[in-house]
């Protein structure tokens, strides 16, 4: 989905950022802050989350911070739903997730891919 | 705290507040396969898992299935149901088909499995959102009396996932509103129990994107654009080691 949205927008974003293998905002407004906010929420780092809430409100506005938090929370559900049911990745994101693409991002090295 | 509301310094959009009210009420009501008391017990175990020593030991282990030990049954949930809730809550990225088959072999039906997964996901979404705003979790709701409906989608079959699901062409009228014009694999994941599927997706679409916007990569329905949304989504998924 991120790849498709960057293609539509024309942004030059390095998708390796989502696995932590690249840094920078890659042309996404507030990308560095959003990346760090998602990470702090997932790692349950309350102090860092609080710091980034303030930074996001300042940079992008309060509604943007709320929607970033809402998205991060939603994916705490989506990942569990997919993992618990063995939902096959083929067909995800409209069928754009090829084995080569997954390999390029290191997804095939995840535990679930190696032990499928 | 008591009641379902959003106090505090941030203005949470009303669609989220209303979705949380509905989702929290639904947890307390009879489902398709669990009564209200068992549904609330599942939500309680999601929170208990955070302080579970066995879960912590497994989470820290290189091979989580090599750690010996079993969860104990509670008054309302079997040991296998507690195992399902705890491991899904604390270490979802390292689940395996054999583990799911073990849960089913221990007497948890596919229908109950799906309904528990739905409740775990709803609870995780709401608790995580509140934690991200430094708000205390909602109090667990009081169970609503009543019997489960016992509805299993008649068109559900085993396909390539670990659990039976309904393909769009196998939907029947009694399933109710199940899919829009398209149905990606993750949308179909809980379709064995249509109400469990709706309970999760009614909440998730308000958090993430409405179904009608999923393939609109220039969508402007949120205060962040689609690239920003997917950056957050991608980072959370990667940290969970989710292969989907």
């Amino acid at each position: 989905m991120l790849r498709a949205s960057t293609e539509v927008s024309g942004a030059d974003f390095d998708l390796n950022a989502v696995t932590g293998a690249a840094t920078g905002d890659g042309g996404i407004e507030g990308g560095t802050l959003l990346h760090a906010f998602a990470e702090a929420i997932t790692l349950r780092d309350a102090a860092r989350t609080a710091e980034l809430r303030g930074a996001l409100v300042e940079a992008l506005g309060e509604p943007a911070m709320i929607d970033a938090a809402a998205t991060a929370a939603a994916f705490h559900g989506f990942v569990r739903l997919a993992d618990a049911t063995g939902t096959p990745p083929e067909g995800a994101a409209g069928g754009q997730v090829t084995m080569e693409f997954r390999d390029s991002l290191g997804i095939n090295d995840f535990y679930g891919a190696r032990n499928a | 705290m008591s009641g379902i509301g959003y106090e505090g310094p941030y203005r949470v959009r009303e669609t989220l507040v209303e979705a949380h009210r509905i989702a929290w009420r639904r947890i307390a009501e009879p489902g398709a396969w669990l009564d209200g008391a068992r549904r609330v017990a599942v939500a309680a175990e999601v929170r208990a898992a955070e302080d579970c020593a066995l879960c912590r030991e497994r989470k820290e282990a290189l091979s989580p299935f090599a750690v010996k030990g079993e969860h104990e049954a509670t008054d309302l949930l079997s040991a296998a149901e507690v195992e399902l809730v705890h491991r899904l809550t604390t270490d979802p990225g390292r689940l395996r088909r054999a583990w799911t088959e073990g849960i089913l072999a221990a007497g948890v039906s596919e229908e109950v499995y799906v309904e528990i997964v739905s409740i775990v996901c709803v609870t995780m979404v709401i608790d995580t959102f509140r934690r991200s705003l430094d708000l205390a979790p909602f109090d667990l709701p009081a169970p609503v009396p009543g019997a489960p409906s016992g509805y299993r989608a008649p068109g559900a079959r085993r396909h390539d996932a670990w659990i039976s699901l309904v393909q769009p062409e196998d939907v029947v009228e009694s399933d109710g509103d199940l899919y829009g014009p398209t149905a990606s694999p993750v949308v179909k994941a809980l379709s064995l129990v249509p109400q469990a599927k709706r309970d999760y997706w009614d909440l998730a679409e308000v958090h993430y994107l409405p179904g009608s916007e999923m393939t609109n990569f220039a969508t402007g329905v949120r205060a962040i654009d689609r690239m920003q949304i997917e950056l957050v989504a991608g980072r959370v998924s990667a940290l969970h080691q989710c292969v989907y």
Side-chain angles (χ1 to χ4, degrees):
Chain A
M1 293 297 198
L2 179 56
R3 179 172 64 170
S5 58
T6 55
E7 285 173 358
V8 168
S9 71
D12 183 22
F13 184 76
D14 185 350
L15 292 168
N16 285 293
V18 300
T19 55
T23 56
D25 66 13
I28 296 179
E29 184 182 4
T32 302
L33 286 174
L34 290 165
H35 186 278
F37 190 48
E39 193 167 286
I41 290 170
T42 305
L43 299 178
R44 301 189 179 203
D45 184 336
R48 183 81 173 129
T49 301
E51 178 190 333
L52 288 159
R53 272 198 310 271
L56 275 169
V57 168
E58 192 169 319
L60 302 175
E62 185 174 298
M65 183 278 290
I66 293 291
D67 278 343
T71 301
F75 277 78
H76 281 68
F78 283 127
V79 298
R80 285 171 173 79
L81 187 162
D83 289 337
T85 56
T87 299
E90 296 79 13
Q96 298 182 54
V97 185
T98 64
M99 189 59 78
E100 293 74 20
F101 178 62
R102 288 156 49 86
D103 203 41
S104 72
L105 294 183
I107 293 171
N108 289 331
D109 293 328
F110 287 178
Y111 181 96
R114 286 185 281 109
N115 292 277
Chain B
M1 66 150 299
S2 61
I4 301 298
Y6 274 88
E7 73 289 1
Y10 304 112
R11 183 179 171 81
V12 175
R13 58 180 157 85
E14 188 54 36
T15 48
L16 279 167
V17 178
E18 184 60 15
H20 288 189
R21 285 195 189 111
I22 293 169
W24 218 239
R25 188 186 72 220
R26 279 289 303 130
I27 283 180
E29 293 173 346
W33 293 91
L34 302 176
D35 63 19
R38 278 177 34 87
R39 290 171 59 84
V40 173
V42 170
E45 282 305 316
V46 171
R47 292 175 177 177
E50 296 176 13
D51 298 318
C52 174
L54 176 58
C55 288
R56 193 174 307 117
E57 190 181 354
R58 287 171 168 175
K59 178 74 175 171
E60 291 169 357
L62 282 176
S63 300
F65 292 95
V67 175
K68 302 301 179 195
E70 291 182 0
H71 289 106
E72 292 184 8
T74 69
D75 289 345
L76 294 169
L77 302 176
S78 70
E81 289 166 343
V82 174
E83 163 71 8
L84 167 57
V85 176
H86 277 225
R87 210 184 276 262
L88 178 55
T89 299
T90 59
D91 204 7
R94 298 196 292 176
L95 303 183
R96 300 156 68 167
R97 181 190 286 267
W99 172 82
T100 292
E101 289 171 349
I103 297 287
L104 300 177
V108 178
S109 70
E110 274 199 314
E111 297 88 344
V112 168
Y113 185 103
V114 164
E115 189 161 325
I116 287 175
V117 170
S118 174
I119 298 166
V120 169
C121 292
V122 166
T123 306
M124 284 300 303
V125 170
I126 294 177
D127 280 2
T128 300
F129 182 71
R130 290 191 61 85
R131 186 184 305 112
S132 74
L133 299 184
D134 197 26
L135 298 172
F138 291 137
D139 288 342
L140 290 173
V144 175
S149 68
Y151 187 81
R152 171 190 168 110
R157 305 279 184 277
R158 281 289 181 100
H159 295 278
D160 46 1
W162 301 344
I163 294 291
S164 298
L165 53 81
V166 183
Q167 294 291 7
E169 61 271 22
D170 295 326
V171 174
V172 297
E173 191 173 352
S174 59
D175 292 338
D177 183 17
L178 203 50
Y179 300 134
T182 61
S184 67
V186 75
V187 172
K188 294 183 280 192
L190 300 177
S191 57
L192 170 69
V193 182
Q195 188 58 52
K197 183 265 182 188
R198 283 189 286 272
D199 286 344
Y200 176 70
W201 282 91
D202 286 353
L203 173 68
E205 289 191 5
V206 175
H207 269 257
Y208 175 49
L209 288 169
S212 60
E213 296 295 310
M214 291 291 181
T215 56
N216 178 6
F217 296 105
T219 183
V221 297
R222 298 287 182 247
I224 49 178
D225 66 26
R226 188 65 187 268
M227 287 190 301
Q228 294 170 318
I229 289 171
E230 297 304 335
L231 174 58
V232 171
R235 187 59 185 143
V236 171
S237 299
L239 286 168
H240 280 88
Q241 297 258 305
C242 182
V243 299
Y244 179 75

